[in-house]
């Protein structure tokens, strides 16, 4: 191949390499890393259950959706107050807690909606039972609203990412099945130091390795692209005498 022909190939290769950086991970040495895991959620006569998509192991219920109170084995102050109201241990004309952050409470294996009842001596807080399928349908985010990364988590079961997912800790509905996307580990750098929160399962090392691998790969492609482009331009492909 003649010299002008080789020069054109160098230029084209350089342009292609530089263009590929738009689909490469990018430079992330200073970025936070998050791990998300998908949980399949179901309900039947025995109650609500959740299992990790990737392993099939039981998953915690407490973080499935902020609209559902009292799911899981760790009671919150709000949940304890709702239980006390439900059991008749307290009586109140106003909500015992600010329930603007949740729509339903899960009490004794059933879902209830906080509501009010009119009595001769005033208006009092109470609970109205709601079928589980109605609750799931009311709070679940449609699969059509999920981002590409969120759909990827549900398909694969887990994912490491540099972006926070909008619908994490929300019930979502995909093809008639219900899931939740849980963020269960975070690697964050602040100034000269950083923090890593995980269950001690090797995430911190994996997150660091991901940042270095993605960043160095991107840097290598940029350097190679610039090198090929400069090599092509030096060969003067457009007007040799």
């Amino acid at each position: 191949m003649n010299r002008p022909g080789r020069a054109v190939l160098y230029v084209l290769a350089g342009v292609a390499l530089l263009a590929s950086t738009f689909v490469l991970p990018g430079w992330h040495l200073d970025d936070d890393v998050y791990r998300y895991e998908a949980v399949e959620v179901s309900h039947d006569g025995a109650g609500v259950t959740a299992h990790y998509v990737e392993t099939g192991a039981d998953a915690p219920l407490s973080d499935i959706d902020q609209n559902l109170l009292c799911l899981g084995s760790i009671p919150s102050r709000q949940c304890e107050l709702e239980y006390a109201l439900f059991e008749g241990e307290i009586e109140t004309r106003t909500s015992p807690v600010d329930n603007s952050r949740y729509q339903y409470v899960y009490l004794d294996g059933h879902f209830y909606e906080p509501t009010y009842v009119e009595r001769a001596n005033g208006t009092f807080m109470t609970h109205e039972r709601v079928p589980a399928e109605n609750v799931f349908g009311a709070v679940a985010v449609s699969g059509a609203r999920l981002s590409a990364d969120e759909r990827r988590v549900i398909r694969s079961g887990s994912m490491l990412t540099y972006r926070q997912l909008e619908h994490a800790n929300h019930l979502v509905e995909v093809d008639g099945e219900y899931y939740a996307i849980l963020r269960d580990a975070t690697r964050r750098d602040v100034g000269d130091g950083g923090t890593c929160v995980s269950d001690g399962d090797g995430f911190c090392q994996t997150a660091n390795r991901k940042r270095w691998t993605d960043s160095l790969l991107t840097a290598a492609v940029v350097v190679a692209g610039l090198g090929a482009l400069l090599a092509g331009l030096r060969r003067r492909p457009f007007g040799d005498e």
Side-chain angles (χ1 to χ4, degrees):
M1 183 180 295
N2 59 26
R3 183 174 177 179
R6 287 198 299 271
V8 171
L9 288 180
Y10 275 118
V11 170
L12 291 176
V15 170
L17 286 169
L18 292 175
S20 71
T21 59
F22 289 103
V23 297
L24 289 175
W27 186 263
H28 294 289
L29 287 182
D30 298 324
D31 289 345
D32 300 337
V33 182
Y34 306 97
R35 182 176 66 195
Y36 290 92
E37 295 197 273
V39 170
E40 186 170 8
V41 186
S42 59
H43 60 82
D44 55 27
V48 179
T49 57
H51 301 89
Y52 287 108
V53 170
E54 191 171 37
T55 65
D58 292 343
L61 293 170
S62 55
D63 295 328
I64 283 178
D65 197 296
Q66 62 184 7
N67 293 301
L68 306 177
L69 186 66
C70 300
L71 277 176
S73 58
I74 303 176
S76 64
R77 179 175 179 270
Q78 294 96 324
C79 181
E80 290 178 350
L81 289 170
E82 290 286 2
Y83 255 117
L85 178 65
F86 178 74
E87 296 290 343
E89 298 175 5
I90 61 173
E91 191 176 66
T92 177
R93 286 184 170 86
T94 59
S95 174
V97 292
D98 175 16
N99 63 5
S100 62
R101 291 172 295 176
Y102 57 90
Q103 295 176 250
Y104 302 95
V105 293
Y106 189 67
L107 307 169
D108 288 347
H110 301 284
F111 284 105
Y112 294 85
E113 182 178 7
T115 186
Y116 297 87
V117 61
E118 295 289 342
R119 297 176 184 166
N121 58 340
T123 302
F124 292 85
M125 284 293 300
T126 186
H127 296 96
E128 181 177 344
R129 185 169 167 178
V130 183
E133 55 268 24
N134 292 9
V135 172
F136 276 38
V139 304
V141 175
S142 168
R145 294 174 54 191
L146 300 183
S147 67
D149 282 345
E150 289 168 336
R151 290 192 293 270
R152 177 185 163 195
V153 174
I154 292 174
R155 287 195 306 269
S156 63
S158 66
M159 183 180 71
L160 295 182
T161 178
Y162 302 107
R163 294 184 291 271
Q164 298 190 55
L165 301 185
E166 178 183 0
H167 297 108
N169 302 108
H170 284 282
L171 200 66
V172 300
E173 186 271 327
V174 179
D175 297 331
E177 302 292 336
Y178 292 98
Y179 300 88
I181 300 171
L182 307 183
R183 190 177 81 187
D184 65 350
T186 303
R187 177 73 170 88
R188 176 172 288 118
D189 279 280
V190 182
D192 295 330
T195 60
C196 186
V197 180
S198 74
D199 294 329
D201 53 0
F203 163 77
C204 298
Q205 293 80 6
T206 301
N208 257 347
R209 187 162 54 249
K210 174 179 175 60
R211 294 194 304 178
W212 277 99
T213 300
D214 290 349
S215 298
L216 292 177
L217 173 62
T218 302
V221 171
V222 169
V223 170
L226 289 174
L229 187 59
L230 290 174
L233 293 176
R234 285 172 180 166
R235 291 172 181 267
R236 301 172 59 192
F238 306 111
D240 281 349
E241 295 181 358

